[in-house]
Amino acid sequence: MSHKHLLDTESHWVTRKGKAYLSDRVVMHNKDLHQELGDYEWLHLYLYSILGRDIGENEAKLLNFYWVATSYPDASIWPNHVTALAGTVRSTASLALMAGMSVSEASMYGRRPEVRALDFFYRAGRWCDDGGELIEFVEREKSAGRILYGYGRPLAKSDERIPYTIKKAEECGLGEGRYLKMALNVHAHLEATYGYSMNVAAIDAALAADVGLNCQEYQLFMTPCFIAGMVPCYQDARDQPEGSFFPVRCTSIVYGGRAKRDWNGPE
Amino acid sequence: MASDYRYHSNIWLEEPEESNPFAAKASYCHGYDVSGQIIPQASWFEYLLLMFKGDRPQASESRLLEKLAMVLANPGPREASVRAAMNAGVAGTNHSSALMAALAVGAGQYGGAQEVSICMRLWQECGQCLELWGNQLFNPEEDERADIWLPMEHAPGFDPNGDRTPAPVLQSLDFLAGLAPSNGSLTWLNQNRATLEDTVGYPLAISGVAAAALVDLGLNEDQGSMLYLMLRLPGAAVHALEQKQMGWKKFPYYGPAIELADDPGPFESSKPEQAPL
């Protein structure tokens, strides 16, 4: 390989995604932003920007519910806690929200479990397409030491979002999809065999598979999904006295490290 | 009354002022008095290594980290993370936004911290075995599952857009190897660079040098990734500030360079019918 292909894009970038012809018009995925897409709800437009196609009213309505259903204005939730800390030290709104959004790409919650859960269902689907049994696939994943994202929830035994999400899927005519059934079957097996609960990451991912999102599209779609819950947490801490959001006293740092020692002393 | 909510740390001990439980009278880092001894007596890089590793480092280790920090301090305005910071700086945004932009872009897999992290994992897996490196450089993924990170598109630590090893990379590798253990990663990389480059088909990158140095410092991939992110921020900061001063008129605007293939042209809206005159 070499640098030579860089010469092609040093001063010229060809794209099919879109362009802003300033003072004239804006094109997004072959459509005029203001005239052809101007009546879209913003989230529907966001899906259009990701996919380059109209995903459909019912699909957009269901996916919109993912965001609504994860907008928890509770500062004990870690991304929200970050925004509250930004509020208590009087950082700016954008910095607070971007910090909260970026930490949502976590391993215990948020983007990694979502992506891994969707990937799990697609791989399970291929396994079944090749003649395998779903439960055998689950057991193989488990015996490989892999976390079954979407099953089990660290801080709670059940997930209040699941019945509402399934109800919304049914309302939208999306309650009978292959992957949703798969998610429920996996849960039935894991609950009966290991006592695992299911969290909404499994249901959301399965429905995302049913509407045809790939892992990268799903990651992009979910990235801002906690943001409406972060805003009140930022405001709340911002409106209280500086530094007053759960202040930590010195003795609340429980130290378990080395004893006091002399910088110049022997090790 | 003390709170039920506590954090746990093996790094940091604080003793409160008698008058205020929320103010520290003294802080200890891995057992050393920060204000009383570390600040007056230690160098910045001794303190950094103490924080990351838990013990007072050898002089040779802090010198290696200091020189690595200088190698990484300013990737220059062509580099993507610095360009991101300059994009922030030129428009007069928050300084934090400029550094957040540099961190986000500098976290990537082409020249960024994620590449360094993967490279450090490969050092754990391959050690000083050329045969293992020859295989793993082309198969750096942990497994087949999709992740928030995309699959690597090139051999970690090497530059797929390079022709031959740039002089600063060679100089840095050679110099840092001279400060590192003679049986360490940097020395081995220096001795086997040409062979590895022949295998890969393109030259070593500074990310590969940094990963070897961070391994020689006894750091794991998480620690190395954090340090790599931090150590490249000075360049991002000064170039962001410089562009703020320089002004937007001197800053490139790429609008004319972007060509929309298959431009549908102006949209012809259905105009309301006009009454005949």
Side-chain angles (χ1 to χ4, degrees):
Chain A
M1 296 173 87
S2 82
H3 75 279
K4 290 199 169 50
H5 71 103
L6 298 181
L7 302 176
D8 298 336
T9 52
E10 189 179 9
S11 303
H12 189 208
W13 185 260
V14 180
T15 181
R16 295 179 187 276
K17 301 291 188 186
K19 182 173 169 67
Y21 297 94
L22 298 182
S23 304
D24 182 8
R25 62 196 168 92
V26 178
V27 178
M28 179 190 283
H29 296 304
N30 222 37
K31 286 189 187 294
D32 187 292
L33 177 66
H34 302 108
Q35 298 195 73
E36 292 178 275
L37 303 171
D39 288 332
Y40 273 42
E41 294 289 334
W42 184 86
L43 193 121
H44 201 156
L45 179 74
Y46 185 51
L47 283 162
Y48 180 77
S49 80
I50 293 169
L51 301 173
R53 61 182 168 85
D54 185 346
I55 194 170
E57 284 294 330
N58 281 335
E59 288 78 0
K61 191 174 166 188
L62 172 64
L63 292 168
N64 177 72
F65 184 73
Y66 287 20
W67 281 29
V68 171
T70 49
S71 300
Y72 285 20
D74 184 320
S76 67
I77 295 167
W78 290 331
N80 300 4
H81 203 86
V82 170
T83 63
L85 287 169
T88 203
V89 301
R90 308 296 189 259
S91 190
T92 70
S94 291
L95 292 173
L97 295 179
M98 291 309 105
M101 198 158 80
S102 66
V103 303
S104 305
E105 209 163 50
S107 293
M108 286 181 64
Y109 65 88
R111 303 301 88 76
R112 176 166 278 142
E114 290 157 6
V115 168
R116 284 276 163 95
L118 179 56
D119 178 63
F120 170 84
F121 289 122
Y122 280 137
R123 287 186 298 112
R126 289 195 292 272
W127 176 270
C128 295
D129 289 342
D130 291 341
E133 292 291 328
L134 176 63
I135 301 310
E136 186 188 351
F137 179 80
V138 173
E139 287 301 319
R140 286 172 67 98
E141 289 286 298
K142 197 167 182 307
S143 60
R146 292 177 173 180
I147 296 170
L148 301 173
Y149 290 98
Y151 297 94
R153 193 181 186 195
L155 300 177
K157 285 193 181 299
S158 63
D159 192 323
E160 61 282 355
R161 291 165 290 189
I162 288 176
Y164 298 112
T165 305
I166 291 176
K167 181 168 176 281
K168 187 65 70 176
E170 289 167 350
E171 284 172 15
C172 296
L174 297 164
E176 298 293 326
R178 177 196 193 192
Y179 293 100
L180 179 59
K181 287 178 183 168
M182 193 181 277
L184 297 172
N185 289 337
V186 170
H187 176 230
H189 168 70
L190 291 174
E191 185 179 40
T193 313
Y194 305 106
Y196 282 14
S197 62
M198 179 169 62
N199 67 58
V200 81
I203 296 297
D204 280 356
L207 288 166
D210 282 331
V211 302
L213 299 186
N214 67 33
C215 289
Q216 288 175 44
E217 291 163 348
Y218 188 47
Q219 184 180 354
L220 274 170
F221 170 71
M222 294 297 276
T223 290
C225 76
F226 300 145
I227 209 157
M230 293 175 196
V231 171
C233 300
Y234 170 73
Q235 291 172 316
D236 199 26
R238 179 202 63 193
D239 293 343
Q240 296 295 322
E242 287 178 308
S244 65
F245 179 71
F246 291 123
V248 179
R249 65 177 60 209
C250 296
T251 53
S252 291
I253 306 294
V254 180
Y255 181 64
R258 295 286 298 265
K260 289 180 186 175
R261 47 185 169 162
D262 185 349
W263 183 255
N264 301 303
E267 268 306 302
Chain B
M1 194 170 116
S3 167
D4 291 336
Y5 298 98
R6 294 176 184 153
Y7 294 87
H8 294 259
S9 175
N10 295 329
I11 297 173
W12 203 254
L13 166 67
E14 288 192 354
E15 293 175 341
E17 293 279 4
E18 287 172 16
S19 59
N20 181 357
F22 297 99
K25 179 174 67 181
S27 301
Y28 296 84
C29 180
H30 290 294
Y32 296 115
D33 184 341
V34 175
S35 297
Q37 288 202 304
I38 294 176
I39 293 171
Q41 297 184 43
S43 72
W44 165 224
F45 293 96
E46 282 180 307
Y47 189 25
L48 260 183
L49 278 174
L50 169 68
M51 280 193 271
F52 274 89
K53 294 183 68 179
D55 282 308
R56 181 177 174 175
Q58 300 293 319
S60 59
E61 293 174 306
S62 55
R63 181 161 166 77
L64 175 58
L65 179 59
E66 180 186 358
K67 293 301 175 186
L68 173 64
M70 292 173 73
V71 166
L72 300 177
N74 190 1
R78 294 185 306 105
E79 197 271 339
S81 72
V82 179
R83 279 172 64 187
M86 294 195 305
N87 265 275
V90 72
T93 188
N94 300 304
H95 300 320
S96 170
S97 305
L99 294 186
M100 285 166 74
L103 285 171
V105 175
Q109 295 176 171
Y110 175 58
Q114 182 66 6
E115 178 171 19
V116 169
S117 179
I118 292 169
C119 209
M120 291 181 73
R121 174 168 55 77
L122 295 190
W123 276 105
Q124 301 305 319
E125 293 172 8
C126 305
Q128 299 186 359
C129 175
L130 268 175
E131 191 180 346
L132 285 174
W133 276 104
N135 180 50
Q136 294 296 83
L137 281 170
F138 294 104
N139 301 284
E141 312 304 334
E142 285 184 286
D143 59 52
E144 82 284 9
R145 289 177 296 173
D147 189 37
I148 55 172
W149 293 101
L150 294 166
M152 280 296 290
E153 296 173 31
H154 67 276
F158 294 79
D159 182 4
N161 293 322
D163 295 293
R164 58 177 61 184
T165 326
V169 174
L170 289 175
Q171 288 171 315
S172 298
L173 175 60
D174 202 47
F175 179 67
L176 294 176
L179 302 176
S182 59
N183 61 349
S185 303
L186 279 165
T187 302
W188 187 85
L189 181 61
N190 204 18
Q191 290 166 350
N192 294 279
R193 174 190 57 79
T195 306
L196 289 166
E197 289 176 336
D198 284 344
T199 304
V200 167
Y202 38 85
L204 184 69
I206 207 70
S207 56
V209 177
L214 292 161
V215 168
D216 276 350
L217 285 166
L219 299 161
N220 64 35
E221 62 198 69
D222 294 328
Q223 295 167 324
S225 175
M226 282 282 195
L227 271 170
Y228 187 77
L229 285 165
M230 291 164 52
L231 296 178
R232 298 206 304 170
L233 288 180
V238 297
H239 286 296
L241 294 174
E242 182 186 43
Q243 292 307 314
K244 184 180 178 183
Q245 292 301 317
M246 201 73 77
W248 64 270
K249 289 182 180 175
K250 289 186 178 176
F251 200 74
Y253 168 63
Y254 285 100
I258 295 177
E259 178 191 340
L260 180 60
D262 300 333
D263 178 10
F267 179 72
E268 296 298 328
S269 58
S270 52
K271 294 176 183 171
E273 286 183 22
Q274 288 186 338
L277 291 173

